[in-house]
């Protein structure tokens, strides 16, 4: 099944889960697309079965809270940051519900966390204005970057480069092999007056970088020179909430939620808005991602919604 | 108040009274009652009392009672008692005697209690009177209660009542007449004394009648001969006691004694231990004064009656007082009737109850009430059986008369139960048969006494007769329950008897240590010594009990009732308790039934809390779901794989931790949570890796300077310039086509913005929001440039006016805007060179000013180098290029600029050969920095005016070169004049030549 305009426009909610009593703060598909991992402000971790469309398992992390949860490469391990006690990043084995390792270092809320697509490295950024580079195998930080503002960071799909967004105005690309030598490329972009960058993602083909904000605009820039390619707007975000934006697996579309329960979709090529999908999410759709393998999408406020195309081919 | 003349009063009351002095009828009775309420003087009270005594008609008396006479009498009674006015008391009591009584009435106030207490008073007159009253009342009460159950009783009562009435009427009439006369003639004291005498006589007569009647009834009832004898004796004794030293009464009492003794002897023969005390007891008590003995004999009557009453009617007040007070008095003063009975006729009385008790237990069991037998059997089995009994008992209690339940429960409450049961195990040793075992169990404490008592039963027949009716009722009503309680009851009386016996025999010599009973009396028989005896006794008892059961089935229940009453009185300690205490499990079943009750109060608060929590949750969920209208639109289907997934690498291909975890999962069991998921995952194993901090600092800038830097600006910040899908709300889509004609304007506009950046937001800013025809905007820009260049006040003035016009005009109305602007410019038309030309061009149907021959007039000088920043092809505009295009300044057109070759020449015609987006994109990308550094959003305006298509195209296009190619100006070099990278810089260092 191909992702084409008609398919994108026909996406509809086909499953709703009300497993959580509070906002779902992050979600993450497994690499094979079969399961979905979510963290919620009610301190629970819910794992969904994406093929059967059912919740699979629920774990709690009442003590430390949970946010920004990410699968690591093993099937049953995850990485998440804390909302309580401290801002340590925690490496959790879902298999036996036990933490494997803690990664202390950040002193304020962690706002960005990205796992390397190929190996055990991960990168995190915090409101303490640092970006740290880690390895799952060691609790020690591998590298730290001191910034002057809120950071965003991400690995590229090949796992060779990571990008760090600094001060909501520049993107720096580092080669993982020589990150201590400084960035090999910097894109400087005009600073948006009213909003900060809250997320940074490489497109699956690695050619574009999507920068989401807590304002009314999502920016798409070229991944090589930083050339602004598109600015996606038209969605409502009247609360200054960081709304996630995501590529489809073919990198041809970008989805974003909104605070009014609608899901917006744009074409990355033309920048044209492809669809506004009504979901009736009661809260702001802060999390939205497309399944990396399967024709389904997940969006979340307090409720989790699974989307599927209405068309069959 | 002057002293009242009794005669006067009587005269006054005359109309209300009959000839005999009694109350005429119901109406008069109410009158009298109200008068009585107000009577405070002794004289008047006595008169009223006498009137009452003489009153014959029951209706009048009932009315009197109904209207409040009962209460009045009670108050008088209390008063006189508090005053210890024995004479008045006697009068009152006599009056009471004449009043019809019912159970409800007795319960109404404390009269019954008081009289009960009075029956133990020292004054013998009062004592006899009150005891008479008590007897009479108990009879009536019994009769009322047992009417339904026992016809025999009814008959008895009827007979009694009739006889009484008759005799009373006759005698009372005489009395009254005499009394009236006496009252008139003599003092009160005299009257009273006489009255007393009369009354006594009357009573005697009555009692005799009653006794006779009873005897007859008993015979009807087929009661045993022994019972009859006993009854007769007891009753006669009571009657005799009332009369104090009446020879008649003495005879029967003595006969009863004699009878009882032999019977006791028989019983004792069966059980040696018991027999001895029986013999001693009578002797010891016989020593006491004859009066006492008589009184005590009387007592038995009352006791019996009370017992029966309690069972059947359940008069609380009377029961309590009777039981409690008599006991106390017994302790203190032997003379009290009951105490006396027990004390003196211990053998008789106690044995009687015992016998009865044992009998009932045996009888019910043997007769047909399986319940009866089981309890005893249970004694043997103690543990198992008791619980089932209780359950039925409860049921029965509930179903039956409430009073019975209360009484029974009160009896059962004592530790006695436990004692019995406790003792039972010890006793059980010898008995082979179940019955024996059961008896043996009870014997140590209870059984032995019952045996002893069993013989007395026969002897104590007197007690049984009154009891007969109640007991029979009991048996009928409560077959199972009574049996259970009987056991307890039996036990109770037994200990008491034993005590007494022991006391008498041993004289408190060997007070047994038995912790069971804290009671004063020393346990008669020690466990050890008694054990044997008890065994023997138990056997004998069982035999006797069987016999007795066979003999009298009816009497058995009666005996129970007696036993109960007596048991309560006896206060003696039960010596056998200790062992029994060891076993106390009865509560098994009780627990079950009680659990509910116990839980209720607890659950209330808990329920409250739970409800609070639930409410909270409900509120939260309601809040949350209030706006939740999410609906699943599609049915879920298994999602299909996406075909064109871009996968650059295999995810996690280099992960080592993945392997580690797989290994780990092999060794560690998966966590399964069936009920509750733990709040927090387990803590990690301590990480052995040290704190070696090899953390590297990631620099923000490239140390080597090899970093490629790109600076960009957003060309499409303005929402209106953004791409919109036409499908959505008709939002403006980028206007690609028309832009071709407006592109020129855009350029000019841009120039204007740049040039006039220092002019303030006035013209420039306002200008940006308008949709002006190209010609007009061109005009405005031209003017603005001129104004800036010339600094001419005239131009300034013109500019101000234009600004005003723009601000005050509807931006959307281009026609009006143009008119106004033209009007504003009119005055300056001739003052400013070129203005007329511009205006004319504008008015020329909106033609592009650059096309309408304006080129010659166009302000060439205005065209600064910067306007070249937006060189664009004018497709379709042949040869009508603005002059500026020919004046591309060297500053912007870098020699090495890639767009160079393709730059639209002045004469160039837009066409297919145009490089299009990519070239322009480059241009934009590389050249923008110049603008960008001058102001925050320099291009905002131009974007609107038509630039977008081109810019956007440029932005989206791929740069020609790869990263790092020298296609842009080095910012550092431009700003600072130098660059640390020198010639190595990847950016263009524009030289003066270039």
């Amino acid at each position: 099944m191909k992702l084409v305009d008609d398919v994108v426009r026909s996406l509809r909610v086909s499953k709703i889960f009300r497993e959580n009593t509070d906002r779902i703060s992050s979600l993450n598909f497994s690499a094979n697309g079969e399961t979905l991992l979510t963290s919620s402000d009610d301190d629970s971790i819910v794992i969904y079965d994406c093929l059967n469309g059912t919740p699979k398992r629920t774990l709690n992390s009442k003590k430390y809270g949970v946010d920004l949860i990410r699968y690591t490469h093993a099937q049953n391990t995850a990485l998440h940051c804390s909302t309580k006690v401290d801002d340590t990043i925690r490496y959790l084995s879902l298999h036996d519900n036990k933490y494997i390792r803690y990664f202390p270092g950040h002193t304020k809320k962690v706002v960005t966390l990205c796992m390397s697509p190929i190996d055990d490295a991960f990168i995190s950024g915090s409101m303490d204005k640092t970006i740290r580079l880690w390895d799952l195998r060691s609790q020690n930080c591998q590298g730290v970057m001191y910034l002057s503002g809120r950071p965003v960071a991400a690995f590229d799909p090949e796992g060779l480069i990571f990008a760090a967004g600094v001060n909501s105005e520049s993107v720096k690309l580092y080669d993982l092999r020589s990150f201590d030598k400084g960035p090999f490329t910097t894109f400087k972009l005009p600073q948006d007056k009213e909003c900060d960058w809250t997320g940074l993602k490489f497109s699956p083909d690695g050619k574009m970088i999507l920068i989401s904000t807590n304002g009314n605009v999502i920016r798409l820039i070229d991944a090589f020179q930083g050339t602004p390619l598109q600015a996606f707007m038209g969605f409502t975000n009247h609360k200054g909430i960081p709304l996630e934006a995501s590529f489809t697996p073919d990198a041809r579309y970008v989805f974003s939620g909104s605070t009014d329960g609608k899901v917006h979709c744009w074409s990355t090529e033309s920048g044209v808005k492809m669809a506004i999908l009504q979901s009736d999410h009661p809260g702001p759709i802060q999390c939205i991602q497309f399944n990396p393998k399967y024709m389904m999408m997940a969006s979340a406020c307090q409720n989790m919604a699974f989307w599927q195309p209405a068309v069959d081919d | 108040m002057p002293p009242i003349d009794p005669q006067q009063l009587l005269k006054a009351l005359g109309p209300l009274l009959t000839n005999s002095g009694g109350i005429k009828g119901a109406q008069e009775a109410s009158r009298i009652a109200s008068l009585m309420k107000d009577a405070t003087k002794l004289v008047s009270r006595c008169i009223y009392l006498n009137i009452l005594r003489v009153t014959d008609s029951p209706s009048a008396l009932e009315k009197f009672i109904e209207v409040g006479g009962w209460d009045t009498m009670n108050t008088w009674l209390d008063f006189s008692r508090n005053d210890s006015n024995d004479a008045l008391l006697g009068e009152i009591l006599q009056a009471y005697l004449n009043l019809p009584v019912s159970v409800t009435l007795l319960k109404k106030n404390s009269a019954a209690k008081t009289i009960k207490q009075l029956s133990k008073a020292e004054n013998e007159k009062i004592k006899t009177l009150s005891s008479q009253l008590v007897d009479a009342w108990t009879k009536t009460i019994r009769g009322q209660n047992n009417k339904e159950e026992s016809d025999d009783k009814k008959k008895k009562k009827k007979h009694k009542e009739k006889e009484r009435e008759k005799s009373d009427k006759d005698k009372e009439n005489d009395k009254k007449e005499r009394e009236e006369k006496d009252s008139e003639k003599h003092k009160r004291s005299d009257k009273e004394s006489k009255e007393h005498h009369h009354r006594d006589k009357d009573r005697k007569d009555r009692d005799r009648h009653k006794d006779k009647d009873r005897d007859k009834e008993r015979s009807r009832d087929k009661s045993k001969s022994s019972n009859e004898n006993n009854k007769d004796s007891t009753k006669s004794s009571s009657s005799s006691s009332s009369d104090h030293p009446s020879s008649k009464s003495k005879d029967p009492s003595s006969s009863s004694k004699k009878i009882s003794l032999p019977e006791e002897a028989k019983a004792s023969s069966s059980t040696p231990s018991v027999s001895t005390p029986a013999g001693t007891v009578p002797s010891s008590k016989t020593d006491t004064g004859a009066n006492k003995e008589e009184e005590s004999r009387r007592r038995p009557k009352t006791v019996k009656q009370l017992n029966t009453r309690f069972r059947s009617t359940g008069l609380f007040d009377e029961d309590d007082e009777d039981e409690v007070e008599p006991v106390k008095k017994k302790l203190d003063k032997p003379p009290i009737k009951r105490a006396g009975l027990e004390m003196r006729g211990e053998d008789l009385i106690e044995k009687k109850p015992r016998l009865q008790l044992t009998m009932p237990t045996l009888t019910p069991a043997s007769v047909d009430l399986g319940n009866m037998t089981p309890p005893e059997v249970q004694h043997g089995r103690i543990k198992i059986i008791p619980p089932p009994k209780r359950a039925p008992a409860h049921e029965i209690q509930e179903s039956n008369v409430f009073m019975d339940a209360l009484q029974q429960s009160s009896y059962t409450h004592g530790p006695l139960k436990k004692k019995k049961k406790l003792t039972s195990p010890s006793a059980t040793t010898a008995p082979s048969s179940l019955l024996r075992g059961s008896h043996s169990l009870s014997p140590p404490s209870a059984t032995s006494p019952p045996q002893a008592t069993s013989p007395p039963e026969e002897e104590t027949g007197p007690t049984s007769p009154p009891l007969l009716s109640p007991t029979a009722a009991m048996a009928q009503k409560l077959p199972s329950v009574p049996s259970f309680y009987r056991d307890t009851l039996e036990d109770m009386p037994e200990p008491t008897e034993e005590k007494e016996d022991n006391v008498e025999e041993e004289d408190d010599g060997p007070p047994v240590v038995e912790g069971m009973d804290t009671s004063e009396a020393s346990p008669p028989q020690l466990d050890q010594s008694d054990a044997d005896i008890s065994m023997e006794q138990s056997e004998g008892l069982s035999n006797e009990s069987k016999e007795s059961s066979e003999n009298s089935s009816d009497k058995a229940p009666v005996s129970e009732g007696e036993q109960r009453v007596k048991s309560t009185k006896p206060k003696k300690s039960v010596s056998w308790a200790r062992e029994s205490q060891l076993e106390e499990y009865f509560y098994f079943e009780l627990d079950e039934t009680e659990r509910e009750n116990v839980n209720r109060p607890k659950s209330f608060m808990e329920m409250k809390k739970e409800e609070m929590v639930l409410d909270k949750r409900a509120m939260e969920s309601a809040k949350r779901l209030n706006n939740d209208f999410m609906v699943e639109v599609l049915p879920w289907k298994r999602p299909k794989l996406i075909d064109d997934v871009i996968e650059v690498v295999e995810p996690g291909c280099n992960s080592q931790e993945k392997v580690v975890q797989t290994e780990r999962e092999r060794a560690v069991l998966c966590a399964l949570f069936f009920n509750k998921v733990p709040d927090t995952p387990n803590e990690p194993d301590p990480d052995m890796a040290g704190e070696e901090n090899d953390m590297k600092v990631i620099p923000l800038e490239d140390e080597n300077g090899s970093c490629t830097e790109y600076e960009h600006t957003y060309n499409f910040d303005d929402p209106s310039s953004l791409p919109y899908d036409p499908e959505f709300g008709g939002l403006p889509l980028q206007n690609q086509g028309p832009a071709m004609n407006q592109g020129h304007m855009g350029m000019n506009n841009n120039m204007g913005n740049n040039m006039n950046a220092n002019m303030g937001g006035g013209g420039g800013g306002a200008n940006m929001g308008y949709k002006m025809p190209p010609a007009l905007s061109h005009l405005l820009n031209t003017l603005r440039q001129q104004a800036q260049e010339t600094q001419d006040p005239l131009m300034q003035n013109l500019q101000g006016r234009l600004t005003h016009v723009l601000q005050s005009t509807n931006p959307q109305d281009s026609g009006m805007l143009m008119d106004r602007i033209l009007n504003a410019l009119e005055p300056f038309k001739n003052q400013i060179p070129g203005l007329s030309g511009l205006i004319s061009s504008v008015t020329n149907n909106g033609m592009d000013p650059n096309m309408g021959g304006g080129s010659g007039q166009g302000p060439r000088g205005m065209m600064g180098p910067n306007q070249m920043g937006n060189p664009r092809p004018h497709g379709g505009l042949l040869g009508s290029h603005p002059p500026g295009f020919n004046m591309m300044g060297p500053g912007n057109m870098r020699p090495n600029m890639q767009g160079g070759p393709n730059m639209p020449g002045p004469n160039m015609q837009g066409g297919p050969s145009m490089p299009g987006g990519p070239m322009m994109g480059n241009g934009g990308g590389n050249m923008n920095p110049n603008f960008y550094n001058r102001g925050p959003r320099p291009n905002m305006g131009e974007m609107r005016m038509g630039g977008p298509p081109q810019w956007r195209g440029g932005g989206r296009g791929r740069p020609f070169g790869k990263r790092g190619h020298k296609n842009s100006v080095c910012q550092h070099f431009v700003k600072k004049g130098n660059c640390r990278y020198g010639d190595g810089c990847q950016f263009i260092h524009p030289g003066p030549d270039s």
Side-chain angles (χ1 to χ4, degrees), chain B residues 744 748 751 755 778-787 789-790 795 832-835 837-839 841 849-850 853-864 867 882-885 887:
Chain B
H744 195 197
N748 287 335
M751 293 194 310
M755 298 293 290
H778 173 78
L779 169 65
L780 294 178
N781 284 325
T782 308
L783 288 177
R784 202 173 294 143
Q785 288 175 356
Q786 275 186 326
E789 283 180 5
T790 60
M795 288 301 290
I832 300 174
L835 183 61
L838 285 171
I839 292 175
S841 71
N850 293 328
S855 60
Q857 303 172 0
R860 292 185 179 185
M862 306 190 300
M863 303 296 283
Q867 69 187 134
F885 259 98
M887 301 178 63

Side-chain angles (χ1 to χ4, degrees), chain A residues 1 3 6-17 29 33 49-54 255 277-278 289-291 294-299 305-312, chain B residues 631-642:
Chain A
M1 195 171 184
L3 262 174
D6 284 344
V7 171
V8 168
R9 288 193 180 110
S10 72
L11 282 171
R12 296 290 182 274
V13 175
S14 62
K15 273 285 181 186
I16 298 170
F17 305 100
F29 280 98
D49 183 334
C50 300
L51 301 186
N52 298 321
T54 57
F255 280 94
L277 306 171
Q278 191 64 40
Q289 280 185 24
F290 212 97
N291 190 304
Y294 293 94
M295 190 63 78
M296 70 152 288
M297 183 174 72
S299 66
F306 283 4
W307 300 69
Q308 286 189 311
V311 294
D312 271 336
Chain B
V631 181
E632 294 171 356
V633 179
L634 288 182
W636 177 260
K637 55 182 187 272
R638 194 179 178 88
K640 297 176 180 175
L641 278 172
I642 300 175

Side-chain angles (χ1 to χ4, degrees), chain B residues 750-769:
Chain B
N750 185 24
M751 293 194 310
N753 283 336
N754 291 329
M755 298 293 290
N756 299 326
N758 59 350
M759 285 186 65
N767 200 357
M768 297 168 65

Side-chain angles (χ1 to χ4, degrees), chain B residues 524-577:
Chain B
Q525 298 174 350
L526 294 180
D527 295 343
Q528 299 172 351
S529 62
D530 294 349
D532 300 339
I533 298 171
S534 66
M535 293 299 297
E536 297 175 357
Q537 290 178 350
S538 65
E539 293 177 358
L541 286 175
S542 62
N543 297 334
E544 292 179 358
S545 64
K546 289 175 183 176
E547 296 174 359
S548 65
S549 64
E550 293 173 357
N551 294 338
S552 63
S553 60
D554 297 347
K555 295 177 181 177
V558 177
S559 64
E560 292 177 2
E562 292 179 357
Q563 288 175 354
R564 291 178 188 173
V565 178
K566 292 179 179 178
S567 66
T568 55
K569 297 176 181 177
K571 27 152 174 180
K572 303 105 195 176
S573 67
V574 179
S575 61
W576 309 90

Side-chain angles (χ1 to χ4, degrees), chain A residues 14 20 41 64-65 69 76 93 108 119 121 126 146 153 176-177 200 223 227 240 244 256 259 261 286 289 301 305:
Chain A
S14 62
N20 296 107
D41 286 349
Y64 300 114
I69 194 160
N76 270 320
S93 166
K108 285 187 180 173
D119 60 15
S126 158
Y146 299 99
L176 263 180
R177 293 162 299 187
L200 186 152
T227 312
E244 183 179 29
S256 171
T259 56
Q286 275 189 262
Q289 280 185 24
C301 55

Side-chain angles (χ1 to χ4, degrees), chain B residues 897-946:
Chain B
M897 196 168 171
Q898 293 184 358
N902 294 325
M903 277 307 281
N907 295 323
M908 193 171 163
Q909 301 181 356
S913 65
M914 284 299 286
M919 185 274 296
M920 294 317 293
N922 264 343
N926 292 329
M927 297 181 70
N928 271 339
N930 292 331
F931 298 133
Y932 174 38
N933 289 333
R934 287 185 194 146
R937 304 227 169 161
N939 294 327
M940 286 299 284
E942 96 201 329
M943 292 302 298
R944 162 163 308 208
M945 296 313 290

